[in-house]
Amino acid sequence: MFNRSRLTVARKRAGLTMKELAAKTGIEPRTVTGYEAGEYLPSEDVAKKLARTLGFPLSFFLSDDLDIPREEGVSFRSMSKMTARQRDGAIAAGAIAFLMSDWLDTEFDLPVSAVPDMREDTPQSAAAGLRDFWGLGNRSIKNMVHLLELRGGRVFSLGEDGKEVDAFSVWRGEKPYVFLISQKSAERSRFDAAHELGHLVLHKHAAPNGLEAEKQANEFAAAFLMPEGPLRAVGRITGLPKVVELKRAWSVSVAAMTYRLHELGLVSKWTYQQLFMEISRRGWRTDEPMQMCREQSQVWKKVLDNLRQDGAGVDRLSSNLSVPESEVVKLLFGLVTMGVPSTPNALTTPRRGNLRLVK
């Protein structure tokens, strides 16, 4: 039976309103509204036309309801810059990510969530407490994506056109999800990951939007990535070379390190202003000095390696899920290297993989 929730998700992924979809398919707007409301079903010919227009296989619309992220539970960072169309498209991408995650659970053994509820803590105490809980000490975190996956989080990319759709996170039952924008530097993407982790621990199953929630998530991210103790041991900072050295050691942006040093009182207000003037003059607000490599997913690398052993790749995953390959690619873009399978039509022997994540 044609599934109305899947029609809604496909339409929003295509960036279309119901009226625009009706115009493209040559049917009445009220008819599309009726399909999505579940008032009646499209004929086979109309269903095929809808599928062609939206770029999804017909089989996608003929399966169970999709679990769609609740808008009030999603932690969008830049609500003021984002259009409703962009917001809806990102949430619909979350529904496809849930579908991919469910497939992972049926095929592989992955860590359960170890992301605690720390709603009663301040951002700084939550950051220190989580480092202690995860046994990180005061060391620099090598890879935020690996860390999230190791602790049971599911990480996806947002390969969207336009930076207005920023990183976001959401709880789905007891499983945390983080979505990272692919159009940022590796350093800023790391901070985004820590920011979203802050939302997950500080605002679990709450409405994590608003200026105060964003401020708390930023404070958490800064304290989590740049713990106070080691920075205080460095002492007062008077010049940009030392800031760049620290930025490299802790794998953050030069701007984030400068702000953190000022926050801890290790940089005077005058020096802080001079540092940012110099950072801007050198173009380091967007292009980082000594850029680090973008962090990739350990989970999805192992999954695709497993598929390649059977002569398949992303195309096999998209076929299994009945979603366009482009949707899978967008959700994995930047997180893993994707290649063309050597034998696209190879048959896969069903088996259950055992993915073991290591620190």
Side-chain angles (χ1 to χ4, degrees):
M1 184 177 293
F2 194 88
N3 190 296
R4 63 191 182 99
S5 71
R6 288 174 174 255
L7 174 60
T8 301
V9 166
R11 175 178 62 77
K12 289 181 177 179
R13 286 304 297 148
L16 299 175
T17 64
M18 285 187 275
K19 184 177 181 180
E20 289 167 343
L21 176 58
K24 284 180 174 291
T25 52
I27 58 181
E28 291 296 321
R30 177 65 186 86
T31 304
V32 174
T33 303
Y35 294 155
E36 293 199 17
E39 295 174 2
Y40 34 83
L41 299 173
S43 67
E44 184 177 349
D45 287 343
V46 172
K48 290 178 179 178
K49 187 180 294 186
L50 289 168
R52 284 196 302 271
T53 301
L54 295 172
F56 277 70
L58 181 61
S59 56
F60 172 78
F61 302 94
L62 305 178
S63 193
D64 298 334
D65 286 347
L66 286 179
D67 190 6
I68 303 173
R70 296 178 302 106
E71 183 180 335
E72 62 272 19
V74 176
S75 69
F76 283 115
R77 292 193 64 183
S78 54
M79 287 289 287
S80 61
K81 299 178 183 178
M82 187 169 42
T83 66
R85 196 185 301 252
Q86 289 172 325
R87 178 203 63 215
D88 291 346
I91 290 176
I96 296 175
F98 287 174
L99 193 64
M100 291 172 63
S101 179
D102 290 343
W103 176 83
L104 272 181
D105 288 333
T106 65
E107 298 292 325
F108 302 96
D109 296 317
L110 294 172
V112 297
S113 173
V115 179
D117 182 350
M118 307 180 79
R119 279 177 284 186
E120 302 303 318
D121 291 69
T122 65
Q124 293 78 11
S125 65
L130 188 59
R131 272 183 163 268
D132 183 58
F133 180 60
W134 284 352
L136 301 175
N138 277 332
R139 304 187 305 273
S140 175
I141 296 170
K142 295 180 180 178
N143 189 309
M144 275 298 302
V145 172
H146 287 185
L147 179 63
L148 288 168
E149 292 177 333
L150 183 66
R151 303 304 175 180
R154 298 291 166 84
V155 183
F156 291 90
S157 180
L158 286 172
E160 306 296 326
D161 297 326
K163 295 182 180 179
E164 295 83 5
V165 181
D166 215 327
F168 71 89
S169 58
V170 64
W171 280 96
R172 182 192 183 201
E174 293 302 313
K175 191 173 295 179
Y177 289 75
V178 172
F179 296 80
L180 301 175
I181 194 73
S182 58
Q183 300 178 21
K184 288 187 177 183
S185 69
E187 290 86 347
R188 283 170 171 77
S189 186
R190 267 173 62 86
F191 194 90
D192 281 351
H195 176 102
E196 297 309 326
L197 177 59
H199 277 306
L200 291 169
V201 300
L202 294 170
H203 310 127
K204 186 174 183 179
H205 301 313
N209 293 309
L211 293 178
E212 183 59 28
E214 291 303 303
K215 180 175 179 290
Q216 291 173 357
N218 276 334
E219 290 173 355
F220 173 92
F224 190 73
L225 290 175
M226 298 166 279
E228 182 175 350
L231 291 180
R232 287 204 179 280
V234 174
R236 300 279 292 184
I237 306 298
T238 58
L240 191 57
K242 188 62 178 180
V243 177
V244 174
E245 179 185 326
L246 291 170
K247 155 256 182 328
R248 187 178 186 184
W250 294 94
S251 301
V252 295
S253 71
V254 68
M257 178 54 73
T258 302
Y259 185 88
R260 178 64 169 157
L261 292 169
H262 180 251
E263 180 183 52
L264 294 175
L266 300 175
V267 167
S268 68
K269 183 177 181 180
W270 184 87
T271 303
Y272 176 72
Q273 293 171 341
Q274 295 302 308
L275 287 172
F276 261 106
M277 287 174 61
E278 183 63 14
I279 288 169
S280 297
R281 188 185 70 79
R282 298 190 185 202
W284 289 351
R285 290 293 192 101
T286 52
D287 297 321
E288 289 291 321
M290 295 184 290
Q291 289 186 8
M292 61 178 288
C293 295
R294 180 168 295 278
E295 296 179 346
Q296 293 198 315
S297 164
Q298 192 177 50
V299 166
W300 285 108
K301 179 183 183 304
K302 289 180 179 292
V303 168
L304 292 186
D305 286 347
N306 187 275
L307 288 172
R308 289 184 189 113
Q309 289 176 12
D310 295 320
V314 173
D315 62 329
R316 179 61 52 79
L317 180 56
S318 67
S319 176
N320 288 344
L321 300 176
S322 293
V323 298
E325 190 171 336
S326 61
E327 292 294 326
V328 176
V329 169
K330 285 179 181 179
L331 285 166
L332 300 183
F333 184 77
L335 289 174
V336 66
T337 302
M338 291 171 283
V340 179
S342 57
T343 53
N345 297 318
L347 295 177
T348 303
T349 302
R351 58 176 174 166
R352 185 175 180 84
N354 183 17
L355 299 189
R356 185 170 63 89
L357 302 188
V358 296
K359 294 183 181 179

